[in-house]
């Protein structure tokens, strides 16, 4: 049942044009553009500095933005309520969505990694294990926040808020612009956000081949635990 539900959710996500644009096309365009054009001052090869942030963007796009919007509209049209009334257990419904989200993230990471490799990306092999752990923690943190947003607000409000948050975190959340290049006050705030923690952790792992340190890991864990705890108490079926 879990495999069937996860497979259905994954196919629906990949068939949705707007979600494909958000989860694949925009990250690819940013990856190529920031790697080839001197828009930001980055060390050479530029792709090595750009790719970790784009991978963080991919996780945020799928686990938070896409999931929040999809859940909001599924609630609006009664999909969640009808599924909850079937023999499908509620926990399995949630697990199926989480598994589908992970499947889409895997597709994103593979596609973006291939594109980055063609652009000359050479990740530090010593940090690959840390990168996998950080991506999983990022999925948990952003996934919990996506469920919280999509499960509590009206669909039209979810659509607006999710896209605004995505854009703000893209520019000021440590994803495209490293924390070291942000103003000190904004950098301090961004470092406590899941976007900044994930992007900086991936940069440490994939560029330097070093452990991300306790900071990014604890920030992502805190957002995942708090977001999930609040979501359990506030998410509605309609």
């Amino acid at each position: 049942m879990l495999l069937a539900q996860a497979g259905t959710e994954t196919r629906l996500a990949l068939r949705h044009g707007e979600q494909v644009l958000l989860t694949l096309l925009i990250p690819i365009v940013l990856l190529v553009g920031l790697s080839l054009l001197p828009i930001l001052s980055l060390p050479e090869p530029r792709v090595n500095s750009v790719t970790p942030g784009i991978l963080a963007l991919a996780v945020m796009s799928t686990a938070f933005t896409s999931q929040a919007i999809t859940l909001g509209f599924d609630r609006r049209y009664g999909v969640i309520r009808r599924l909850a009334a079937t023999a499908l257990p509620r926990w399995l419904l949630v697990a199926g969505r989480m598994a589908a989200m992970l499947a889409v993230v895997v597709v994103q990471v593979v596609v973006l990694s291939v594109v980055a490799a063609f652009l000359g990306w050479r990740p530090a092999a010593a940090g690959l294990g840390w990168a996998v752990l950080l991506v999983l923690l990022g999925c948990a943190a952003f996934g919990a926040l996506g469920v919280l947003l999509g499960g509590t607000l009206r669909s039209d409000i979810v659509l607006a808020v999710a896209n605004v948050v995505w854009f703000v975190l893209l520019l000021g959340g440590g994803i495209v612009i490293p924390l070291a290049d942000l103003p000190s006050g904004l950098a301090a705030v961004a470092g406590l956000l899941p976007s900044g923690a994930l992007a900086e952790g991936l940069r440490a792992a994939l560029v330097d081949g070093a452990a991300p340190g306790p900071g990014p890991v604890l920030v992502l864990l805190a957002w995942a635990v708090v977001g999930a705890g609040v979501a359990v108490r506030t998410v509605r079926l309609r």
Side-chain angles (χ1 to χ4, degrees), residues 181-204:
D181 296 333
L182 293 173
S184 58
L186 181 58
V189 174
L192 298 176
L193 299 176
S195 56
L198 179 57
E200 287 300 305
L202 288 176
R203 289 187 185 103

Side-chain angles (χ1 to χ4, degrees), residues 78-137:
V79 175
I80 302 298
R81 181 163 46 86
R82 290 184 177 91
L83 286 174
T86 67
L88 191 69
R90 188 170 299 187
W91 70 266
L92 199 148
L93 174 62
V94 175
R97 284 181 174 262
M98 295 298 103
M101 178 260 289
L102 287 174
V104 174
V105 168
V106 169
V107 172
Q108 288 176 291
V109 169
V110 170
V111 172
L112 291 171
S113 297
V114 170
V115 174
F118 276 109
L119 294 173
W121 179 49
R122 298 296 181 268
L128 292 178
W130 285 109
V132 172
L133 174 62
L134 288 166
V135 167
L136 292 175
L137 290 175

Side-chain angles (χ1 to χ4, degrees), residues 206-223:
L206 296 176
V207 176
D208 303 326
V217 173
L218 291 176
V219 168
L220 292 172
L221 278 174
W223 279 100

Side-chain angles (χ1 to χ4, degrees), residues 13-170:
L14 294 177
R15 289 174 184 173
H16 198 290
E18 292 180 358
Q19 290 196 33
V20 172
L21 175 67
L22 183 68
T23 58
L24 278 178
L25 295 184
I26 292 178
I28 289 175
V29 169
L30 288 174
L31 173 62
V32 175
L34 293 174
S35 298
L36 299 181
L37 302 176
I39 301 173
L40 300 174
S41 177
L42 297 172
E44 297 291 343
R46 298 176 59 85
V47 67
N48 283 357
S49 300
V50 170
T51 302
I54 298 302
L55 293 177
L57 173 65
V59 172
M60 181 178 71
S61 298
T62 296
F64 174 71
T65 310
S66 293
Q67 181 161 229
I69 294 172
T70 300
L71 180 57
F73 278 94
D74 283 350
R75 286 175 52 235
R76 176 179 179 176
Y77 295 122
V79 175
I80 302 298
R81 181 163 46 86
R82 290 184 177 91
L83 286 174
T86 67
L88 191 69
R90 188 170 299 187
W91 70 266
L92 199 148
L93 174 62
V94 175
R97 284 181 174 262
M98 295 298 103
M101 178 260 289
L102 287 174
V104 174
V105 168
V106 169
V107 172
Q108 288 176 291
V109 169
V110 170
V111 172
L112 291 171
S113 297
V114 170
V115 174
F118 276 109
L119 294 173
W121 179 49
R122 298 296 181 268
L128 292 178
W130 285 109
V132 172
L133 174 62
L134 288 166
V135 167
L136 292 175
L137 290 175
C139 288
F142 280 115
L145 295 174
V147 170
L148 174 61
L149 179 63
T152 54
L153 301 179
R154 297 201 319 268
S155 58
D156 51 347
I157 299 178
V158 170
L159 181 62
V161 172
N163 283 307
V164 168
V165 169
W166 181 90
F167 188 74
V168 169
L169 293 183
L170 171 66

